[in-house]
């Protein structure tokens, strides 16, 4: 497919563009920053005219795309003011969704967020492992936007029955260079309790996107996307007993299994995370 990837110069977007190209797809990167060249278009996603123009075709770059991967955003709370984060992220997402629907691009995969699960869990989760079954619990302006984006997607697929929108609730994105810091987390269980000690290797994030592009049918679906394990060497039972002693446990925790359940993504998308910080350095695949 020819796939437009917004946020193609970001931490996850760079890896996603690389992996999609390696899988044989043509990628058109769209971002506010980046070097001019083949396969990249610089634009402001908060300007609808630029968005629909870029998706519809740009000079000799392309004459339209088959699918859209939307990753561009202010990527976390606290980077910009709450108002700036809200205005940027909701406007950019509306623009790319609306432009895609108008142009007949009927396959969209985009970055939602683990934050809609109730992060930083100052109010404990309703149960552990957490999954997609309970209502969103946004606790920041950033997370509120992610929740509203999911609600917007639900209505857009109702209006456009041929449209497939898949929301991937990515955990904290990591690259191999980040893994050297992980052993330090063991000293204090509360350092990473804010997302139940979760993470996602960017390469597995790319895999989840490729699987969603391949198999998602019309309609809206949401999936938690995390690594198969936690960031901790300490066992799950010890961590949960110390930090969330009153929270209901649903099923086996495993020793180091992710507490951000990826069972729905495994079952419906065929998602199978291949990378773990426990495997040690892997320079060739960075």
């Amino acid at each position: 497919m020819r796939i437009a990837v917004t946020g193609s110069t970001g931490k996850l977007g760079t890896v996603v563009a690389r992996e999609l190209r390696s899988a044989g797809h043509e990628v058109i990167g769209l971002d506010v920053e980046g070097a001019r060249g083949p396969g990249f278009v610089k634009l402001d996603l908060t300007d609808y005219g630029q968005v629909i123009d870029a998706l519809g075709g740009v000079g000799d770059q392309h004459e339209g795309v088959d699918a859209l991967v939307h990753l561009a955003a202010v990527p976390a709370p606290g980077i910009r003011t709450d108002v700036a984060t809200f205005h940027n992220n909701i406007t950019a997402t509306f623009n790319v969704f609306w432009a895609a629907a108008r142009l007949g691009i009927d396959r969209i995969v985009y970055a939602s967020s683990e934050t809609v699960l109730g992060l930083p869990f100052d109010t404990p989760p309703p149960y552990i492992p957490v999954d997609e079954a309970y209502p969103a619990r946004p606790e920041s302006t950033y997370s509120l936007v992610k929740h509203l984006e999911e609600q917007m997607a639900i209505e857009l697929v109702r209006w456009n029955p041929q449209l497939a929108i898949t929301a991937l609730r990515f955990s904290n994105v990591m690259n191999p260079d980040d893994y050297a810091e992980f052993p330090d987390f063991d000293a204090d269980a509360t350092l990473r309790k804010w997302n139940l000690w979760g993470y996602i290797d960017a390469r597995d994030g790319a895999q989840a996107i490729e699987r969603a592009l391949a198999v998602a049918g019309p309609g809206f679906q949401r999936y938690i996307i995390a690594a198969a394990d936690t960031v901790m060497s300490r066992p799950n039972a010890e961590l949960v007993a110390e930090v969330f002693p009153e929270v209901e446990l649903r099923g086996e925790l495993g020793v180091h299994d992710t507490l951000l359940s990826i069972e729905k993504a495994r079952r419906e998308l065929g998602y199978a995370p291949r990378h773990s910080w426990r495997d040690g350095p892997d320079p060739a695949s960075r």
Side-chain angles (χ1 to χ4, degrees):
M1 291 186 287
R2 179 182 293 136
I3 304 168
V5 177
T6 74
S8 61
T9 66
K11 186 172 186 177
L12 178 58
T14 300
V15 177
V16 168
R18 181 192 74 204
E19 297 294 303
L20 289 176
R21 288 185 177 115
S22 295
H25 301 289
E26 180 183 351
V27 174
I28 307 298
L30 305 175
D31 214 333
V32 70
E33 296 180 352
R36 180 174 177 269
F40 178 78
V41 178
K42 187 173 182 178
L43 80 167
D44 178 359
L45 291 170
T46 66
D47 182 332
Y48 179 72
Q50 292 184 46
V51 174
I52 197 164
D53 197 29
L55 291 177
V58 177
D60 58 358
Q61 290 267 23
H62 71 94
E63 296 179 351
V65 299
D66 304 308
L68 170 67
V69 175
H70 177 45
L71 307 177
V74 177
I79 297 173
R80 297 177 64 182
T81 68
D82 290 339
V83 170
T85 298
F86 185 93
H87 286 179
N88 181 88
N89 289 3
I90 198 71
T91 303
T93 298
F94 176 79
N95 284 349
V96 297
F97 283 6
W98 195 257
R102 285 289 176 92
L103 292 169
I105 302 166
D106 58 10
R107 192 171 295 269
I108 300 172
V109 178
Y110 82 99
S112 186
S113 170
E114 63 183 355
T115 61
V116 300
L117 298 167
L119 277 63
F121 293 125
D122 293 334
T123 298
Y127 50 82
I128 295 175
V130 297
D131 58 22
E132 301 88 348
Y134 66 91
R137 300 169 61 180
E139 300 288 358
S140 66
T141 303
Y142 171 83
S143 182
L144 176 62
V145 172
K146 292 299 184 182
H147 171 55
L148 294 176
E149 289 171 351
E150 291 190 5
Q151 297 306 117
M152 178 166 57
I154 289 169
E155 302 307 328
L156 288 178
V157 300
R158 181 172 64 84
W159 296 352
N160 302 274
Q162 79 290 349
L163 185 60
I165 303 181
T166 305
L168 300 182
R169 293 175 169 180
F170 287 114
S171 188
N172 189 198
V173 176
M174 298 289 183
N175 287 321
D177 287 342
D178 298 315
Y179 294 152
E181 300 177 8
F182 280 30
D184 294 339
F185 298 146
D186 277 353
D188 183 352
T190 65
L191 286 176
R192 295 281 307 192
K193 68 89 182 173
W194 55 269
N195 75 339
L196 295 181
W197 307 282
Y199 75 107
I200 176 67
D201 188 290
R203 295 165 293 180
D204 284 325
Q207 179 212 149
I209 288 170
E210 189 174 5
R211 292 303 307 156
L213 287 169
V215 307
F220 173 77
Q221 283 294 343
R222 55 174 70 93
Y223 300 94
I224 296 171
I225 302 296
D229 59 346
T230 68
V231 301
M232 305 292 279
S233 296
R234 295 171 62 183
N236 285 338
E238 180 182 312
L239 296 169
V240 172
E242 177 180 338
V243 182
F244 297 109
E246 305 300 323
V247 174
E248 176 189 353
L249 304 182
R250 292 195 176 179
E252 296 295 323
L253 299 183
V255 179
H256 298 119
D257 292 356
T258 177
L259 300 177
L260 304 168
S261 176
I262 56 175
E263 291 311 305
K264 183 180 178 184
R266 288 184 186 275
R267 182 176 65 251
E268 297 185 9
L269 298 180
Y271 170 63
R274 296 189 290 263
H275 301 284
S276 169
W277 71 276
R278 301 171 205 277
D279 297 333
D282 186 13
S285 58
R286 292 178 187 175

